[in-house]
Amino acid sequence: MPDVIRVEQLERTYHLGSVDVPALRGIDFAIPQGQMVAIMGPSGSGKSTLLNLLGCLDRPSGGRYLLAGEDVGRKSDDQLAEVRNARIGFVFQNYNLLPQLTALENVELPLVYRGLSAAARRRRAEGALESVGLADRGHHRPLELSGGQQQRVGIARALAGQPDVILADEPTGNLDSASGEEVLRLFLELHRSGRTIVVVTHDDDVSHYTERTIHLRDGVVVSDDPVPPELRRGLDERGAS
Ligand SMILES: Nc1ncnc2c1ncn2[C@@H]1O[C@H](COP(=O)(O)OP(=O)(O)O)[C@@H](O)[C@H]1O
Ligand SMILES: [Mg+2]
C-alpha cells in the first residue's frame, strides 16, 4: 500500500515573543493507506500540533510532510486550503456541528465547496449518514441527538468529502464510555472498509481499536508499535473492563 502520510524530521516551533517553544522536534513516520493509528501522549507532548500539521491547518518549521506524495510545506495558503478540503476529513472532540442546521445540512455543508449540484450533495450526505447508522435522523438538529449520535454526524460529515484520511482529535473525549465505544467501533468498521484513520487521544482505551500506536513525549516519538492482536477489540466484541 502506498503511504498516505509521510513525515520526515518534522519540526514545529512556536515563537512567543523572544521565547521559542519547540513543540515537535524531529518526527518521522509513515502511514500506509488503510491503516488505523492512535497517536498518544501526555498533555503538552505535541499531539494537537502534529494533528494540525497533518490536517494542513499549519506548516512545519522544519522537515517535510508528504500527503499522498505531495510536499505540503511548499504550498501557498490557497493551495493548502484546497488540499485540506479535498484530502482531509476532520472529526472534533466537541463535534463542531452548527446547531441551527439539521444533521443532513451539517453533513452537506463542506460539500458546497466541491462544485456539486444540490441534488448530488444531498445524495452524498444521505449516503454518509446511512453509513454511520443515522439514515433516519437526517432532519434532526444536533441538540435533538445524543452526544454519540452528534459525533456520528461529525463522522458522516468527514466521510461525505471522500477524504484520503480521517483525522480525529480526542473524538471520544466528550462521551460517556458506552457512546465512546460506539464511536470507536464505527471507526473500526470504516477502517475495515479501507479508510485511513488517525486518532489523537490520551485515552488508552482507544488503542484497543487501532492497529498501531505512536507515543509522543516532549515533541518526539518515544515508541511506534503495532497493537498486539490479543489486545485488539473486534467489531462484534463488547468492550470488557
Ligand atoms: N499556539 C501555541 N503557541 C505557543 N505554544 C504552543 C501553542 N500551541 C501549543 N503550544 C505548546 O506546544 C507544546 C505542545 O502542545 P500541544 O501540541 O497542544 O500538545 P498536546 O495536544 O499533546 O497537549 C506545549 O508545550 C504547548 O504549550
Ligand atoms: Mg491537544
Side-chain angles (χ1 to χ4, degrees):
M1 282 287 174
D3 294 329
V4 180
I5 284 175
R6 169 177 288 278
V7 298
E8 298 170 348
Q9 283 300 302
L10 193 73
E11 294 176 20
R12 177 68 169 96
T13 299
Y14 297 107
H15 303 285
L16 291 174
S18 57
V19 181
D20 288 347
V21 182
L24 296 177
R25 302 183 293 143
I27 302 245
D28 292 279
F29 59 76
I31 299 178
Q33 196 180 318
Q35 199 167 56
M36 180 158 166
V37 185
I39 295 179
M40 310 198 54
S43 179
S45 57
K47 303 183 298 295
S48 294
T49 300
L50 178 58
L51 206 76
N52 288 343
L53 289 172
L54 297 182
C56 300
L57 294 164
D58 188 17
R59 279 199 196 74
S61 325
R64 289 210 302 170
Y65 171 29
L66 302 178
L67 174 59
E70 289 187 82
D71 191 338
V72 164
R74 294 171 164 277
K75 296 194 179 295
S76 69
D77 286 353
D78 284 351
Q79 289 171 326
L80 205 60
E82 252 170 56
V83 170
R84 182 165 65 237
N85 194 247
R87 297 197 182 277
I88 308 285
F90 288 101
V91 176
F92 303 92
Q93 175 168 359
N94 58 6
Y95 329 128
N96 282 16
L97 301 175
L98 293 177
Q100 67 276 32
L101 300 185
T102 65
L104 204 51
E105 288 164 346
N106 267 285
V107 174
E108 270 184 43
L109 194 58
L111 299 176
V112 168
Y113 309 103
R114 289 297 180 89
L116 295 168
S117 70
R121 289 202 300 266
R122 181 52 53 109
R123 271 198 304 278
R124 264 221 217 167
E126 284 170 348
L129 272 182
E130 192 176 343
S131 67
V132 301
L134 290 178
D136 58 343
R137 293 290 192 277
H139 298 287
H140 291 238
R141 286 175 215 283
L143 293 176
E144 298 161 356
L145 300 170
S146 72
Q149 288 173 330
Q150 290 182 60
Q151 189 57 297
R152 278 150 62 197
V153 174
I155 294 169
R157 179 183 52 193
L159 287 172
Q162 301 176 343
D164 292 321
V165 51
I166 293 177
L167 300 179
D169 199 353
E170 300 283 3
T172 61
N174 284 9
L175 299 174
D176 61 74
S177 61
S179 317
E181 195 180 298
E182 192 181 288
V183 160
L184 290 169
R185 289 155 57 82
L186 174 58
F187 276 128
L188 187 57
E189 208 177 289
L190 295 171
H191 157 61
R192 299 248 168 111
S193 71
R195 299 281 176 177
T196 310
I197 302 173
V198 179
V199 183
V200 164
T201 183
H202 66 269
D203 178 0
D204 276 327
D205 250 14
V206 172
S207 62
H208 297 303
Y209 292 84
T210 63
E211 45 185 349
R212 174 180 178 190
T213 312
I214 298 174
H215 276 270
L216 299 184
R217 185 176 288 271
D218 297 331
V220 296
V221 173
V222 289
S223 69
D224 180 353
D225 297 308
V227 178
E230 65 271 20
L231 291 184
R232 257 185 247 161
R233 231 158 251 171
L235 268 182
D236 25 60
E237 273 171 72
R238 291 273 144 208
S241 83

